[in-house]
């Protein structure tokens, strides 16, 4: 494996050698710092200051050269524009052909500049990573934050380079106008649907389309889904794209999203009636906590085996899930006529054993092409939110009571019957329409050089522009619109390609673990836990806290509102439906507006505080307990928890170890297990607190929420202050 320093020397443009990052010097300084620290001749403060100064100098050199080259390209385009204008009055076929070749020549020079930026971006990321690994610091986070947020940031110029977008636009527009000129000059702005036949325009169009598909909201929603992406997929060449397209099947994706929606409906459709169902079987109303939580208990185990099963197949786990959920809902509905509480709990356990959310996430991560993966991930979150809202609403509509033979159909049993029919219909649809994607063995992709001149350059331009803009813009989360370069730059600097991961290991002169070990996925929860940094552990604690608070609010809503306000089941359903409807608007506001105004960690802390405020306002300390107090505090708690969940998972998706992006014990499974455990404990708390009487239920269940919330706030302040 060729080390990056040697690769940089071999691939750099000879006449631009002095403007590349001096990776060899920076690496030498890192090793020198290490020796000096070992003998005690340097302290940590001096090392950080000196290394920061050197890297600032390197980035300044790169950014100023970029500006100079952008100016030269702009000047050439301006002169070509003058020639182009002259041709509009007196068209000449030969001059048009020459002008088209001149624009293509500028495009080839643009390719060189893009390649220059790409190599330097990799160099900056690698030297920062090497520094962190050598000294055990979190220097990358500090450096990116302090440099990216500055109004005169040169780091932004290297990684965002907005000026090059104008150059790309000028080349694309003019080549389009000159294409097959027959006395008509069409504009890409006026006629965006006109087919592009020039190879350079085609390559630029791919990059532009890739850029416009990414929006702040979709990026935020996709990270909310915490669909972990393997770093190998961040650089997508044409052949890799073709393979992904071959595995992708729209109807199969739709079936996965439908599974997500139906499962969330199944989870929340019983919430308004669980207490009434429990009492009809001779149990206390607070046993609803166990009834609701039984599904979450089973999900703790199903998440693991479904995650492992998805390594081999997607179709079979979905078939199994549908059958188990059909049986579970059938048993749940029949428990009424058998007058059996154990049968009721068994039905809910079966429903939990059918949770295939791990498969749904994995399908999107592995089989959906990168160009639409962001939309698919956002669709996953949207389907979950819609299901959460529709579940209680559907329960509110099932207000009837009749019998067919000896089977009872009422507000308690109809949720089970309706969901059983829904899963049976889904099973038929799944069997007919799902296409199992082909599974390819992992291959090591190596770059190949073509001997064809112009054709090879055009192909290189297409491949490089696509992968370059994908990696340096799309993965930044639209940082220029975001107003928060820290998020995008941190993600770019921390994410690595497989090739550069191997280089990093070699650069450490054998002192670090092998590249193969660094790529190996976690094989158990213990291995996965060892990969978690302190900040990730705090974020999982936050996730646990918000899921606990939300489950307390939702699961005991029927009991609390009936006891204090005498609400009917329909009123409870409307309340829960309104809560569920806030999910998408809240994520829209946070993803499109709030995240543009504040840093993620600021939103994180503010949301935690607001959740705490909502919990405090929910306590029954004033007699009488009023509807406005309960509703307002509930909405504050729920909406704040939704904001917190989105931002928290967004951060997790960027800082979690790349080894947790693959395998059975991945980042998505860890977050799912943390949330599921929180739900189980919350539902158990409701049932246990019920023994103290319904008058004590509200305050007793809110107290653990308050303690956990305060603890998470303290942990957040301590952890993020130490990192930043």
């Amino acid at each position: 494996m060729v080390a990056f320093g040697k690769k940089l020397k071999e691939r750099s443009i000879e006449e631009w050698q002095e403007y590349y990052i001096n990776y060899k010097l920076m690496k030498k300084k890192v090793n020198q710092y290490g020796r000096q620290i070992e003998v005690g001749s340097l302290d940590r403060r001096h090392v950080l200051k000196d290394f920061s100064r050197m890297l600032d100098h390197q980035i300044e050199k790169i950014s100023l050269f970029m500006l100079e080259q952008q100016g030269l390209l702009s000047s050439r385009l301006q002169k070509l524009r003058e020639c182009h204008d002259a041709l509009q009055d007196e068209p000449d076929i030969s001059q048009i052909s020459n002008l088209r070749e001149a624009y293509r020549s500028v495009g080839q020079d643009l390719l060189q500049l893009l390649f220059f930026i790409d190599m330097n971006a990799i160099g900056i990321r690698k030297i920062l990573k090497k520094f962190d690994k050598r000294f055990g610091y979190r220097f990358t986070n500090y450096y990116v934050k302090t440099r990216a947020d500055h109004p005169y940031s040169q780091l932004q110029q290297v990684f965002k380079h907005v000026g090059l977008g104008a150059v790309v636009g000028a080349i694309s527009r003019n080549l389009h106008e000159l294409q097959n000129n027959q006395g008509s000059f069409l504009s890409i702005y006026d006629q965006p649907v006109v087919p592009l036949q020039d190879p350079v325009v085609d390559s630029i169009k791919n990059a532009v389309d890739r850029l416009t598909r990414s929006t702040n909201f979709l990026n935020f929603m996709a990270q909310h889904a915490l669909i972990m992406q393997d770093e190998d997929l961040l650089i997508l060449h044409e052949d890799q794209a073709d393979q992904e397209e071959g595995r992708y099947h729209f109807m199969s994706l739709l079936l996965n999203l439908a599974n997500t929606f139906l499962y969330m409906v199944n989870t929340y459709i019983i919430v308004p009636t669980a207490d009434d169902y429990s009492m009809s079987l001779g149990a206390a109303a607070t046993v609803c906590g166990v009834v609701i939580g039984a599904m979450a208990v089973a999900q703790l185990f199903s998440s693991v085996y479904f995650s492992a099963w998805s390594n081999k197949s997607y179709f079979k786990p979905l078939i199994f899930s549908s059958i188990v959920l059909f049986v579970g809902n059938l048993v749940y509905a029949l428990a009424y006529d058998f007058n059996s509480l154990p049968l009721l709990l068994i039905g809910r356990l079966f429903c939990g054993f059918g949770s295939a959310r791990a498969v749904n996430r994995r399908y999107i991560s592995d089989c959906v092409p990168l160009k639409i993966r962001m939309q698919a991930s956002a669709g996953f979150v949207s389907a979950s939110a819609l299901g959460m809202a529709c579940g209680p609403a559907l329960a509110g509509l099932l207000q009837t009571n009749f019998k067919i033979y000896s089977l009872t159909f009422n507000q308690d049993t109809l949720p089970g019957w309706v969901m059983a029919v829904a899963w049976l219909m889904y099973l038929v649809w799944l069997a007919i329409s799902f296409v199992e994607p082909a599974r390819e063995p992992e291959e090591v992709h190596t770059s190949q050089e073509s001997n064809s001149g112009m054709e090879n350059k055009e192909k290189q331009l297409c491949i490089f522009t696509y992968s370059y803009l994908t990696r340096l813009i799309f993965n930044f989360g639209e940082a220029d619109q975001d107003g928060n370069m820290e998020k995008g730059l941190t993600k770019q600097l921390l994410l690595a390609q497989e090739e550069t991961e191997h280089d990093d290991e070699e650069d450490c002169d054998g002192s670090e673990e092998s590249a193969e070990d660094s790529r190996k996925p976690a094989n158990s929860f213990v291995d996965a836990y060892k990969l978690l940094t302190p900040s990730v552990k705090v974020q999982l604690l936050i996730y646990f806290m918000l899921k606990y608070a939300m489950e307390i609010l939702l699961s005991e809503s029927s009991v609390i509102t009936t006891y204090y306000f005498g609400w009917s089941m329909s009123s409870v359903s409307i309340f829960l439906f309104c809560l569920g409807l806030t999910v998408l608007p809240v994520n829209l506001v946070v993803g499109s507006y709030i995240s543009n105004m504040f840093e993620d960690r600021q939103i994180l802390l503010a949301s935690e505080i607001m959740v705490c405020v909502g919990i405090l306002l929910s306590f029954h300390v004033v007699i009488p307990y009023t509807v406005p107090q309960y509703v307002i505090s509930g909405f504050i708690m729920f909406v704040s928890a939704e904001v917190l969940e989105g931002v928290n998972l967004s951060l997790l998706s960027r800082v979690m170890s790349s080894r947790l992006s693959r395998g059975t014990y991945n980042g998505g499974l860890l977050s799912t297990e943390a949330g599921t455990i929180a739900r189980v404990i919350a539902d158990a708390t409701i049932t246990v607190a019920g023994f103290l009487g319904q008058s004590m239920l509200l305050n007793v269940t809110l107290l653990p929420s308050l303690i956990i919330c305060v603890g998470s706030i303290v942990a957040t302040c301590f952890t993020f202050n130490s990192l930043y």
Side-chain angles (χ1 to χ4, degrees):
M1 181 65 65
V2 181
F4 176 75
K6 185 176 180 181
K7 187 182 302 180
L8 178 63
K9 184 177 181 180
E10 291 175 350
R11 297 184 181 180
S12 59
I13 302 170
E14 185 175 354
E15 57 269 27
W16 292 355
Q17 283 279 359
E18 60 181 298
Y19 302 107
Y20 282 88
I21 181 175
N22 195 333
Y23 184 80
K24 184 177 180 180
L25 173 64
M26 299 294 289
K27 177 184 172 184
K28 183 178 179 181
K29 289 294 293 184
V30 170
N31 294 331
Q32 181 180 332
Y33 291 145
R35 292 191 296 269
Q36 290 176 327
I37 289 178
E38 287 176 1
V39 300
S41 59
L42 275 183
D43 60 7
R44 176 178 179 273
R45 188 185 185 93
H46 178 82
V47 168
L48 294 177
K49 183 178 180 180
D50 190 54
F51 185 75
S52 298
R53 181 189 60 79
M54 287 186 61
L55 192 54
D56 287 341
H57 173 73
Q58 294 292 319
I59 292 174
E60 180 180 273
K61 174 182 68 175
I62 296 167
S63 63
L64 292 178
F65 180 74
M66 283 174 54
L67 290 173
E68 179 185 352
Q69 292 302 310
Q70 286 177 223
L72 293 175
L73 291 174
S74 300
S75 297
R76 291 171 61 187
L77 288 171
Q78 181 61 34
K79 293 178 180 178
L80 292 176
R81 179 71 256 176
E82 294 173 0
C83 297
H84 194 169
D85 291 340
L87 285 176
Q88 290 184 359
D89 297 329
E90 299 179 4
D92 184 285
I93 298 301
S94 62
Q95 291 185 22
I96 290 176
S97 178
N98 292 336
L99 187 58
R100 190 160 51 230
E101 291 304 316
Y103 274 114
R104 287 200 182 102
S105 176
V106 176
Q108 299 305 321
D109 290 341
L110 174 61
L111 168 62
Q112 287 189 317
L113 184 56
L114 294 177
F115 186 75
F116 169 83
I117 299 171
D118 184 63
M119 293 300 292
N120 282 290
I122 294 173
I124 293 171
R125 180 194 57 75
K126 286 176 62 62
I127 199 63
L128 282 168
K129 182 179 179 183
K130 183 179 296 297
F131 187 89
D132 283 350
K133 291 175 69 174
R134 182 65 184 267
F135 302 107
Y137 298 158
R138 300 280 298 181
F139 177 71
T140 297
N141 290 346
Y142 166 79
Y143 186 84
V144 171
K145 171 178 167 46
T146 54
R147 270 59 178 178
D149 285 345
H150 198 279
Y152 307 131
S153 172
Q154 293 173 327
L155 191 62
Q156 290 189 26
Q157 180 63 32
V158 175
F159 281 93
K160 199 55 191 168
H161 49 273
V162 178
L164 285 181
V167 177
V168 172
I171 296 172
S172 178
R173 185 180 67 84
N174 284 283
L175 278 176
H176 188 280
E177 289 182 358
L178 292 169
Q179 173 184 284
N180 298 325
N181 186 281
Q182 301 292 337
S184 172
F185 291 84
L186 296 175
S187 170
I188 60 173
Y189 307 117
D190 298 328
Q191 301 288 340
V193 297
V194 174
L196 303 179
Q197 299 176 1
D198 190 282
V200 176
V201 177
D202 289 342
S203 64
I204 293 175
K205 180 181 180 297
N206 289 333
V208 173
D209 288 345
R210 188 74 177 107
L211 175 61
T212 55
R213 288 191 188 99
S214 175
T215 66
N216 288 342
F217 177 49
L218 288 180
N219 187 61
F220 183 83
M221 293 286 282
Q223 291 170 334
H224 194 163
L226 198 64
I227 293 173
M228 304 297 294
Q229 293 191 46
D230 192 332
E231 293 169 358
D232 297 339
L233 301 178
L234 292 178
I235 301 178
L236 189 63
H237 294 285
E238 286 181 330
D239 54 343
Q240 293 170 300
D242 291 339
Q243 291 175 8
E244 274 197 334
E245 290 285 356
R247 302 184 69 196
Y248 169 64
H249 183 247
F250 174 75
M251 189 58 69
S252 300
L253 172 61
L254 194 61
L255 282 162
N256 271 276
L257 297 181
N259 183 281
T260 299
F261 170 77
L262 286 176
Y263 185 79
M264 293 303 291
V265 172
N266 211 148
T267 301
Y268 289 99
I269 193 172
I270 73 155
V271 172
T273 59
D275 59 333
D276 185 68
Y277 204 164
S278 301
M279 289 189 293
S280 68
L281 298 180
T286 51
V287 174
C288 69
V290 174
V291 176
I292 296 171
M295 195 169 178
V297 171
Q299 191 177 343
L300 284 173
F301 303 97
S302 66
S303 296
V304 179
Y305 66 72
F306 272 117
S307 181
W309 202 350
S310 65
N311 291 328
K312 299 180 179 180
S313 174
Y314 302 102
F315 178 65
K316 292 178 181 178
L318 291 176
I319 287 287
F320 177 78
S321 167
S322 304
I323 294 174
V324 171
L325 281 159
F326 168 74
V327 173
N329 282 286
L330 201 62
V331 172
Y332 179 86
L334 291 173
Y336 187 91
D337 293 308
F338 282 91
N339 195 31
S340 173
L341 183 62
L343 203 60
L344 182 71
L345 295 177
I346 291 173
R348 288 296 286 177
L349 284 171
F350 263 77
C351 290
F353 284 128
S355 172
R357 288 173 67 81
V359 180
N360 304 144
R361 280 194 178 102
R362 189 68 176 272
Y363 183 87
I364 295 174
S365 176
D366 292 353
C367 302
V368 176
L370 192 60
K371 64 182 180 181
I372 63 168
R373 192 172 302 156
M374 195 68 72
Q375 290 91 327
S377 302
F380 177 86
V381 176
S382 301
S384 300
L386 190 60
M388 181 181 179
C390 289
L394 184 59
L397 297 176
L398 302 177
Q399 301 295 301
T400 186
N401 192 348
F402 62 92
K403 277 196 171 188
I404 299 179
Y405 297 107
S406 60
L407 300 179
T408 303
F409 296 85
N410 58 23
Q411 66 177 18
D412 296 333
T413 63
L414 274 173
W417 291 116
V418 168
M419 292 311 303
V421 172
W423 284 113
L424 184 60
M425 294 172 63
Y426 175 81
L427 181 61
V428 174
W429 182 24
L430 182 69
I432 295 173
S433 302
F434 192 87
V435 176
E436 181 75 81
R439 291 183 175 270
E440 299 287 342
E442 287 193 12
E443 298 177 357
V444 179
H445 297 277
T446 57
S447 59
Q448 299 179 348
E449 294 184 358
S450 172
N451 295 324
S452 56
M454 184 63 183
E455 179 181 355
N456 178 52
K457 289 183 179 179
E458 290 170 350
K459 183 176 181 181
Q460 284 180 334
L461 179 59
C462 180
I463 294 175
F464 184 77
T465 306
Y466 185 92
S467 63
Y468 160 76
L469 288 176
T470 298
R471 199 162 64 252
L472 298 184
I473 298 179
F474 176 72
N475 284 333
F476 278 38
E478 294 290 332
D480 59 327
Q481 299 174 19
D482 231 5
N484 184 1
M485 289 297 301
E486 175 193 355
K487 298 188 295 181
L489 292 174
T490 301
K491 184 173 184 180
Q492 169 63 17
L493 292 171
L494 294 181
L495 289 179
Q497 311 145 11
E498 178 179 5
E499 179 184 27
T500 54
E501 285 285 347
H502 287 312
D503 293 343
D504 271 340
E505 303 304 331
E506 287 207 0
D507 290 342
C508 291
D509 300 322
S511 61
E512 303 292 341
E513 59 182 352
S514 67
E516 182 179 355
D517 290 338
S518 70
R519 302 279 302 157
K520 188 178 180 181
N523 294 320
S524 66
F525 280 116
V526 175
D527 289 344
Y529 183 80
K530 291 178 181 179
L531 295 174
L532 303 181
T533 63
S535 62
V536 173
K537 292 176 183 177
V538 170
Q539 287 173 265
L540 288 176
L541 172 63
I542 293 171
Y543 192 64
F544 177 92
M545 178 273 293
L546 68 91
K547 284 297 182 183
Y548 183 94
M550 290 172 67
E551 189 71 9
I552 289 291
L553 173 65
L554 297 174
S555 295
E556 70 178 13
S557 59
S558 181
V559 179
I560 295 299
T561 54
T562 301
Y563 177 78
Y564 285 104
F565 317 128
W567 281 8
S568 65
M569 197 272 286
S570 297
S571 300
V572 177
S573 299
I574 293 173
F575 172 68
L576 295 177
F577 175 67
C578 291
L579 283 179
L581 285 181
T582 64
V583 176
L584 288 178
V586 166
N587 281 310
L588 175 61
V589 171
V590 174
S592 299
Y593 300 102
I594 296 180
S595 62
N596 296 342
M597 302 165 61
F598 304 98
E599 297 179 14
D600 281 358
R601 60 195 181 100
Q602 293 174 325
I603 303 174
L604 191 78
L605 183 58
S607 300
E608 286 183 90
I609 294 173
M610 290 306 298
V611 170
C612 188
V613 170
I615 294 173
L616 287 171
L617 292 176
S618 298
F619 276 93
H620 180 201
V621 294
V622 178
I623 301 176
Y625 195 57
T626 62
V627 172
Q629 179 185 352
Y630 178 77
V631 172
I632 293 173
S633 61
F635 268 92
I636 291 174
M637 186 195 309
F638 188 83
V639 171
S640 301
E642 277 299 320
V643 174
L644 181 59
E645 181 177 5
V647 176
N648 190 52
L649 292 183
S650 175
L651 285 170
L652 268 177
S653 70
R654 294 200 298 269
V655 302
M656 195 170 280
S657 170
S658 62
R659 290 176 61 184
L660 294 174
S661 66
R662 62 188 75 85
T664 300
Y665 301 93
N666 52 62
L669 177 63
L670 290 182
S671 63
T672 298
E673 292 294 278
T676 304
I677 291 173
R679 291 171 52 204
V680 170
I681 296 175
D683 291 324
T685 302
I686 294 172
T687 300
V688 173
F691 290 105
L692 300 176
Q694 293 190 23
S695 61
M696 298 287 291
L697 178 64
L698 180 64
N699 289 347
V700 171
T701 53
L702 286 175
L703 186 59
S705 300
L706 180 62
I707 294 173
I708 300 172
C709 187
V710 171
S712 71
I713 293 174
V714 173
T716 300
C717 293
F718 177 79
T719 303
F720 282 95
N721 283 339
S722 65
L723 290 178
Y724 293 95

